[in-house]
Amino acid sequence: MGSFFSTLLNPAAAAAAEEEGSAVVAVHSKESWNEHWTAHKNSNKLLVIDFSATWCGPCRFIEPNFKALASRFNEASFVKIDVDELSEVSQQWRVQAMPTFVLVKGGKEVARVVGAKKEELQSKVEQFIA
């Protein structure tokens, strides 16, 4: 019961606890995003960004698949951004629908999947990891 009250007082802790054990990094601040982006923009490692919202049904539908991809493809980085929480970042990436998955390599967008399209997302990840 104490953890319930602590999540009410500290939503960031609740989100961190939710992502615990997952290969997906949940980004909750502009500063955290900037640090993550700086670390990856000059890398040839694939970065897969999941732009979603807590109220979005299709986002919740595909989330287990996104986590499974993150666990399976550890040679890529998987990041989750809530569009309501980081609207400025979402606007920078021209996100207009949820979920939107942006695949980035070497600081440049290489692919985009709009919608809860599990097979298409997996195919794109496999294509750009190779």
Side-chain angles (χ1 to χ4, degrees):
M1 180 125 132
S3 63
F4 171 75
F5 289 116
S6 64
T7 59
L8 287 176
L9 297 174
N10 188 354
E18 176 185 314
E19 297 301 327
E20 199 172 294
S22 172
V24 176
V25 175
V27 177
H28 297 286
S29 71
K30 178 81 164 131
E31 296 76 26
S32 179
W33 166 249
N34 288 339
E35 289 173 18
H36 204 78
W37 176 245
T38 300
H40 282 88
K41 71 179 176 184
N42 296 322
S43 166
N44 205 30
K45 185 175 185 178
L46 181 65
L47 174 63
V48 184
I49 311 166
D50 172 8
F51 288 98
S52 60
T54 55
W55 49 263
C56 167
C59 301
R60 289 192 306 270
F61 169 77
I62 199 168
E63 184 173 8
N65 297 91
F66 187 70
K67 287 180 177 181
L69 287 174
S71 295
R72 183 172 158 206
F73 297 105
N74 56 8
E75 59 267 57
S77 292
F78 290 78
V79 174
K80 180 177 178 163
I81 293 178
D82 185 307
V83 297
D84 293 323
E85 195 173 35
L86 293 176
S87 60
E88 186 179 322
V89 176
S90 303
Q91 290 169 3
Q92 287 174 331
W93 287 95
R94 302 175 323 280
V95 173
Q96 298 179 344
M98 275 78 64
T100 293
F101 301 93
V102 179
L103 287 76
V104 179
K105 208 166 189 180
K108 301 206 184 306
E109 181 177 331
V110 294
R112 180 177 288 236
V113 176
V114 179
K117 301 172 184 168
K118 296 184 280 186
E119 292 81 14
E120 183 179 346
L121 179 59
Q122 180 173 330
S123 173
K124 296 286 185 192
V125 169
E126 289 171 347
Q127 175 186 350
F128 288 104
I129 281 181

